Structures are given as C-alpha cells and as structure tokens.
Amino acid sequence: MKNIGVSNFGVSQLADLIATARIKPAVNQIEVNPQNPRFDLIEYCTKAGVHVTAYSTFGAFYHFEEKLKFFFIYLPFASQAPPEHPCLNWMWCRI
C-alpha cells in the first residue's frame, strides 16, 4: 500500500493516528466552506504534511447566517454575477 486517506478526522484524531500508525495518512477529506472554514485543522494538516481535500465547498445555503446570505446571495443578485462567483473567490483566496 502506497498511500492511505482519512475522512472527517479532527486535529486530535489525526495526531493520534500519526503517532501510532505505520503509514501516515496522505489525505484528510473534510468539509470546508465559508460557514465552516476549519482554519485550525487545515493549519495542522499543512504542518503535518497531510493534504486536505475539501468537500461541500459551497456549503448548505439553508442554514447560512444573515451576514453570509448578504455576501453569497444578495450581493451576486444585485451585481448580476452568478451566485457561485463570491464563493469561488472566497475559496481561491484561501489557496
């Protein structure tokens, strides 16, 4: 086996795994979006050499706070931009 990956591991779970596993995970797949940015976990993964793969990058719009609704729904509508542009811009700025 060359590489293994994990999904939805937090900092403590990942630290325990790295300390005890014979093969360090290469990837941690986690939910990352403006509502759930996971800054601490991404920082830990970067320092530990574990690649982060994000899912649900557009988030679930039904539970957005009002301030995020403005940024991701009302602002694109007012500027006639596609609604995915602000979210893609947010993700791009994180790289």
Side-chain angles (χ1 to χ4, degrees), residues 30-88:
I30 58 173
E31 178 181 5
V32 178
N33 55 57
Q35 188 73 13
N36 189 16
R38 311 295 297 267
F39 294 121
D40 58 334
L41 181 56
I42 293 171
E43 182 180 352
Y44 177 81
C45 287
T46 302
K47 288 180 181 177
V50 177
H51 177 76
V52 173
T53 299
Y55 69 85
S56 191
T57 53
F58 288 105
F61 284 99
Y62 60 86
H63 65 78
F64 259 35
E65 297 174 12
E66 278 304 313
K67 61 184 175 184
L68 293 175
K69 280 184 183 175
F70 173 78
F71 186 70
F72 289 104
I73 297 173
Y74 306 129
L75 188 61
F77 179 76
S79 65
Q80 298 179 353
E84 64 273 8
H85 280 193
C87 196
L88 289 171

